[in-house]
Amino acid sequence: MTDLSGSKPTTPRSTGKLILLGGLMLLAIATFVALGIWQVERLYWKRDLIARVDQRIHAAPVPAPEGATIDAMADEYLRVTATGTFDNSKETLVYASTELGPGYWVMTPLRLEDGNAILINRGFVPLEKRDPKMRTEGQLSGPVSVTGLLRPTEPKGSLLQSNDPTTGWWYSRDVAAIAADKDIGKIEPYFIDADEAPNPGGAPVGGLTRVVFPNSHLSYAITWFAMALMVIGLFAAAVRSELRRR
């Protein structure tokens, strides 16, 4: 019978096209579900990490390890103590931006009894106290004990700036590079962030370590699962539409 209205007749999609569409949507659903499950696994891993680190930073200090390879995951933020003598002549300033404003971390080698050294982040000084002559009271001499958090070395520099030993500009606490630049000698492959114990004269200011672990895995998981549900909804709508056509 001839269609006198002039409009084209509606024809159902071919079975092949429906199978292809269904396959693509099932692949998308599987991918989104897999990503959601991965984020849930990461959520539990991050919660476990936060709990372990929280336990470390509040535990009684243990002697700083010597002559050992440091496992960043197992040892970072371990509360340690070390005794020695500061070599203030080989102090290094590392640019920092803290809750106290812009300034520098004061990195000083602590010379141990056996001659080896541990690099100590003694704390923060503002820009106007870059020169050690502006904080002579804090230039400690004689045996000292330092308590703080063990931190793995930060090689090469920050995300935005590379360390430049030739000009004396440091943007990360790269233990090996600082030791080579200052000719410190044998040094442990980590540094210690000194705690908040006050220094004479009030500088440097310790205890500013930020122990923060972003934990957005739950929201990411919800997003991926929601996208999987959206694709399921679209697929169901496409199937219903095709059934109506037929």
Side-chain angles (χ1 to χ4, degrees), residues 25-136:
M25 286 191 167
L26 287 174
L27 178 61
I29 292 168
T31 300
F32 292 146
V33 169
L35 288 170
I37 293 173
W38 177 64
Q39 287 297 335
V40 170
E41 293 173 347
R42 293 284 294 175
L43 172 65
Y44 284 103
W45 170 82
K46 183 63 70 66
R47 286 178 175 175
D48 180 64
L49 173 65
I50 292 172
R52 284 187 283 113
V53 169
D54 186 67
Q55 184 180 28
R56 287 180 210 164
I57 64 178
H58 293 102
V62 298
E66 294 185 43
T69 301
I70 300 304
D71 183 340
M73 290 299 297
D75 299 319
E76 186 171 16
Y77 300 113
L78 182 68
R79 195 156 176 253
V80 298
T81 185
T83 300
T85 304
F86 282 127
D87 189 348
N88 295 305
S89 66
K90 296 184 177 180
E91 170 185 291
T92 297
L93 298 177
V94 177
Y95 183 77
S97 181
T98 73
E99 59 195 67
L100 301 179
Y104 304 94
W105 298 124
V106 179
M107 310 296 296
T108 308
L110 181 72
R111 192 66 64 182
L112 307 178
E113 187 176 346
D114 60 5
N116 295 344
I118 298 176
L119 195 61
I120 307 296
N121 176 13
R122 298 193 58 207
F124 172 82
V125 293
L127 300 175
E128 62 270 18
K129 290 192 176 182
R130 174 186 174 93
D131 189 342
K133 294 177 181 177
M134 301 298 295
R135 44 186 168 84
T136 55

Side-chain angles (χ1 to χ4, degrees), residues 135-235:
R135 44 186 168 84
T136 55
E137 291 180 70
Q139 300 294 93
L140 301 178
S141 61
V144 296
S145 291
V146 176
T147 299
L149 302 180
L150 185 152
R151 306 292 307 281
T153 183
E154 300 170 346
K156 297 183 180 180
S158 67
L159 290 174
L160 301 177
Q161 297 282 350
S162 297
N163 293 326
D164 188 358
T166 58
T167 60
W169 282 101
W170 297 87
Y171 298 94
S172 74
R173 295 161 289 193
D174 186 334
V175 174
I178 290 174
D181 181 61
K182 296 295 185 178
D183 193 24
I184 294 173
K186 189 174 180 181
I187 195 167
E188 298 299 332
Y190 61 87
F191 63 93
I192 298 175
D193 272 345
D195 64 15
E196 67 279 4
N199 286 301
V205 178
L208 297 180
T209 307
R210 295 185 72 249
V211 185
V212 178
F213 296 96
N215 189 9
S216 302
H217 298 296
L218 179 59
S219 62
Y220 293 154
I222 292 172
T223 299
W224 290 124
F225 288 137
M227 292 182 71
L229 289 174
M230 288 174 60
V231 176
I232 292 172
L234 290 172
F235 182 57

